[in-house]
Amino acid sequence: MPTADDIKATIATYVETFGPDKERWVALFTDDATMEDPVGSEIRKGREEIAALWDFGHSLAEDVQLELGGPICVAADEAAFPLSIVSRTGTTTIRINAIDVMTFADDARITSQRAFWRMEDAQVEQG
Amino acid sequence: MPTADDIKATIATYVETFGPDKERWVALFTDDATMEDPVGSEIRKGREEIAALWDFGHSLAEDVQLELGGPICVAADEAAFPLSIVSRTGTTTIRINAIDVMTFADDARITSQRAFWRMEDAQVEQG
């Protein structure tokens, strides 16, 4: 089982690299990892489909970043944490509060991700 | 499917009544609801076992309350939210940051709860 510190390190890298470094971000997942983002949508499986979801997310705005929104809560080989998805295009910023829930392999790579958020809860900021 | 507002109302009542009102708190769950608290521990099933877990939690301190710790993130008929478990005995307060993940029935009662926290992350305050 991965340690809590290893899990927290993976999550820190997941948050930091989502904006600037697709290769490093996708490498955080195991080969057959699943992603349900948002919860209730089609489940993607494997790094190729996860990379395609990254491409789609980044195609919607000039810049998309994740921001950690509170403590990372680890339990056994799983974890949940609050975050914001922050998309900027021109002078418009769209912020969505989310919670990600993940399971991890022994090497602390991500085996599954489920993201809790709704477009209806997006906050739009101008300027 | 329950509305997001109905889900948020159930969660607000779950947080508010955990301290003072066991009957009302247990009534938030469906008859066959499951509870995994914390994640990785034995899964309790049904209101009787859930009520027993409430009794156990409240037996550990003079007063135990929940505090909502950030935005409730709804997705489809599920939700996740940050909270703190705050236990007081004499002048000692133990605070544990957690994230609860829940599924809901059509009437917005809770069908499953999974709580992400570890005793190792408890913060002890004196006075």
Side-chain angles (χ1 to χ4, degrees):
Chain A
M1 200 163 87
T3 67
D5 284 346
D6 289 343
I7 287 174
K8 288 179 183 179
T10 295
I11 291 170
T13 306
Y14 170 90
V15 169
E16 288 162 17
T17 62
F18 180 78
D21 193 341
K22 173 181 168 184
E23 297 302 316
R24 203 163 153 220
W25 188 78
V26 172
L28 293 170
F29 295 84
T30 58
D31 293 348
D32 58 352
T34 57
M35 175 170 282
E36 186 180 351
D37 193 343
V39 164
S41 68
E42 180 193 352
I43 296 173
R44 319 293 170 124
K45 191 169 169 67
R47 282 190 186 153
E48 200 169 320
E49 290 187 21
I50 289 170
L53 200 58
W54 188 97
D55 288 338
F56 175 71
H58 282 261
S59 74
L60 300 175
E62 286 172 6
D63 180 63
V64 187
Q65 304 278 344
L66 301 182
E67 294 177 7
L68 193 62
I72 296 169
C73 297
V74 176
D77 57 352
E78 305 190 33
F81 57 98
L83 70 163
S84 293
I85 307 155
V86 184
S87 307
R88 293 186 186 84
T89 300
T91 58
T92 302
T93 300
I94 299 176
R95 178 180 294 270
I96 303 175
N97 293 318
I99 288 179
D100 273 15
V101 177
M102 294 177 173
T103 57
F104 296 86
D106 285 346
D107 64 0
R109 280 189 301 161
I110 303 161
T111 50
S112 72
Q113 181 260 34
R114 305 184 76 222
F116 288 78
W117 59 272
R118 300 189 312 149
M119 197 52 86
E120 293 93 319
D121 291 330
Q123 299 163 315
V124 181
E125 301 156 18
Q126 294 289 351
Chain B
M1 200 164 87
T3 67
D5 283 347
D6 289 343
I7 287 173
K8 288 180 182 178
T10 295
I11 291 169
T13 306
Y14 170 91
V15 170
E16 288 162 18
T17 62
F18 180 78
D21 194 341
K22 174 182 167 184
E23 298 303 315
R24 204 164 152 218
W25 188 79
V26 172
L28 293 170
F29 294 84
T30 59
D31 293 348
D32 57 352
T34 57
M35 174 170 283
E36 186 180 353
D37 191 344
V39 165
S41 67
E42 179 193 352
I43 296 173
R44 319 293 172 124
K45 192 170 169 70
R47 282 190 185 154
E48 199 168 322
E49 289 187 23
I50 288 170
L53 200 59
W54 189 96
D55 289 337
F56 176 71
H58 281 261
S59 74
L60 299 176
E62 287 172 5
D63 179 65
V64 187
Q65 305 278 345
L66 301 182
E67 294 177 7
L68 193 62
I72 296 168
C73 297
V74 176
D77 56 353
E78 304 190 35
F81 57 99
L83 70 163
S84 293
I85 307 156
V86 184
S87 307
R88 293 185 184 87
T89 301
T91 58
T92 302
T93 300
I94 299 175
R95 178 181 295 270
I96 303 174
N97 293 318
I99 288 179
D100 273 14
V101 178
M102 295 178 171
T103 57
F104 296 86
D106 285 345
D107 64 0
R109 280 188 300 160
I110 303 161
T111 50
S112 72
Q113 180 261 35
R114 305 184 75 223
F116 289 77
W117 60 273
R118 300 189 311 149
M119 196 53 85
E120 294 94 319
D121 291 329
Q123 300 163 311
V124 180
E125 302 157 18
Q126 295 290 351

